[in-house]
Amino acid sequence: MAHASGKVILCGEHAAVYGRPALACGIARGVFAHATPSVPSSLWIDGQRIDEGTETHSAFQALCRELDVRDRRVDVQLQMPTGVGLGASAAMAVAMARALLDSSETADAVAEARILAAADAWERLFHGNPSGIDAATAYAGGCIRFQKGSDFRGIDLRQSFELAIAVAGPPSATREMVAQVAQFRERDPVTFEQQLDAITSLVDDAEQCLLALDWPRLGALLDHNQTLLAEWKLSTPEIEDCRQLAREAGAWGAKLTGAGGGGCVIALPGELGSDPILAAWSRAGYRCFSSSIATVR
Ligand code: MEV
């Protein structure tokens, strides 16, 4: 069985679309995929066959074409929520690409490049112009620094850490959120560049915090990133509610993660750990869980 991780973006989402760096982490929940020879090719997700002519089937065909693998049945098992900004779509693409390459029995020295190209072919059908951060994180697993157009690199942590994750509202369409941010750029390019500069600088600081295990400072940077994302109208009352509850439960910081406009919130647990945060979110009716972030990719 091939596997790929779901993801959270620690900081730098949206700025990543404009070639700025971002930090992202693979989460423990992800996607499994298995491929077997079969004519014609078909895709099954959680036991259900995906009909030809659907967007998902077209994306599957694009992925197979990119890998040049034909006549396979691919079975996918999702072990994570979809459509909430946790990168389920990219995790599916990476797990499927891994399974297809495994089944084609060609020892492949450039598997990483091929898997990421295939995931990009899949993601383009759903997201228009993805930066590639979701697929890179699904591929790598641990904590990475990503920059569109350059190689991503793993951040080797001295210690794993935990994030609390809440689903703060109905799923948002990444494509729409990316378009919304682009409008801010069109209206006021000078301010937009300053906002991107501020995010780049906090991403650099956050990487240093991860290496130094400086959780209070990292939490403050997450809050700062949230303030900047809110300037692009990506926050919602539910996201702010989850942040407030997390802070009251001792979090060092909390922010939306991914496209925003709904979707998930991440909180960096304080000295009391993630339990009080999860309890507060659950009491308020939010679906939530915690995930350990692995030390190396
Ligand atoms: C989505 O997970 C992250 C965004 O930055 C879009 C992208 O980078 O493709 C919002």
Side-chain angles (χ1 to χ4, degrees):
M1 273 278 185
H3 178 260
S5 309
K7 69 98 202 357
V8 292
I9 297 179
L10 208 53
C11 43
E13 53 272 269
H14 286 285
V17 173
Y18 298 91
R20 301 302 186 110
L23 303 179
C25 310
I27 57 172
R29 296 184 184 206
V31 174
F32 287 92
H34 182 62
T36 44
S38 166
V39 181
S41 287
S42 59
L43 171 62
W44 300 68
I45 300 177
D46 287 339
Q48 283 210 314
R49 187 179 178 142
I50 302 303
D51 289 335
E52 286 185 28
T54 58
E55 199 178 34
T56 305
H57 196 269
S58 303
F60 172 61
Q61 287 176 315
L63 180 129
C64 293
R65 254 196 318 274
E66 181 64 42
L67 291 170
D68 200 18
V69 179
R70 287 179 199 84
D71 302 334
R72 292 289 186 282
R73 170 185 168 139
V74 178
D75 283 278
V76 169
Q77 279 157 29
L78 289 163
Q79 299 199 325
M80 59 178 298
T82 57
V84 291
L86 295 178
S89 157
M92 271 177 67
V94 171
M96 287 190 292
R98 279 188 169 134
L100 285 163
L101 285 187
D102 287 352
S103 77
S104 68
E105 290 171 4
T106 50
D108 195 336
V110 288
E112 174 176 319
R114 292 185 70 198
I115 289 169
L116 294 178
D120 185 63
W122 161 276
E123 288 274 89
R124 267 177 201 284
L125 266 106
F126 299 108
H127 298 324
N129 185 20
S131 68
I133 190 169
D134 290 15
T137 318
Y139 180 85
C143 215
I144 64 163
R145 179 183 171 105
F146 173 88
Q147 193 157 4
K148 191 174 162 181
S150 337
D151 270 353
F152 58 87
R153 64 175 161 77
I155 300 172
D156 291 350
L157 304 173
R158 279 186 286 129
Q159 188 182 299
S160 64
F161 69 103
E162 210 170 56
L163 286 173
I165 301 166
V167 180
S172 63
T174 301
R175 192 197 294 266
E176 280 167 27
M177 294 299 111
V178 168
Q180 177 174 310
V181 172
Q183 283 173 8
F184 280 92
R185 185 194 197 202
E186 263 168 45
R187 264 182 245 142
D188 186 350
V190 174
T191 304
F192 191 78
E193 280 304 307
Q194 287 165 352
Q195 288 162 323
L196 291 182
D197 288 346
I199 292 176
T200 298
S201 152
L202 78 81
V203 164
D204 289 343
D205 283 358
E207 185 176 350
Q208 293 313 309
C209 290
L210 282 172
L211 294 171
L213 308 178
D214 185 346
W215 309 124
R217 169 114 184 100
L218 181 60
L221 291 168
L222 298 188
D223 286 340
H224 183 199
N225 196 173
Q226 168 71 26
T227 307
L228 290 160
L229 291 166
E231 287 177 10
W232 294 331
K233 304 271 180 273
L234 296 168
S235 198
T236 63
E238 291 83 3
I239 289 172
E240 294 305 331
D241 187 36
C242 283
R243 296 184 61 233
Q244 174 74 21
L245 290 167
R247 246 194 320 268
E248 286 165 10
W252 294 122
K255 64 180 276 292
L256 69 84
T257 184
C264 285
V265 166
I266 52 169
L268 184 64
E271 273 150 10
L272 300 174
S274 56
D275 285 352
I277 302 172
L278 298 179
W281 283 341
S282 298
R283 271 197 305 277
Y286 294 106
R287 261 194 301 154
C288 55
F289 59 96
S290 65
S291 178
S292 173
I293 306 301
T295 48
V296 283
R297 59 172 283 213

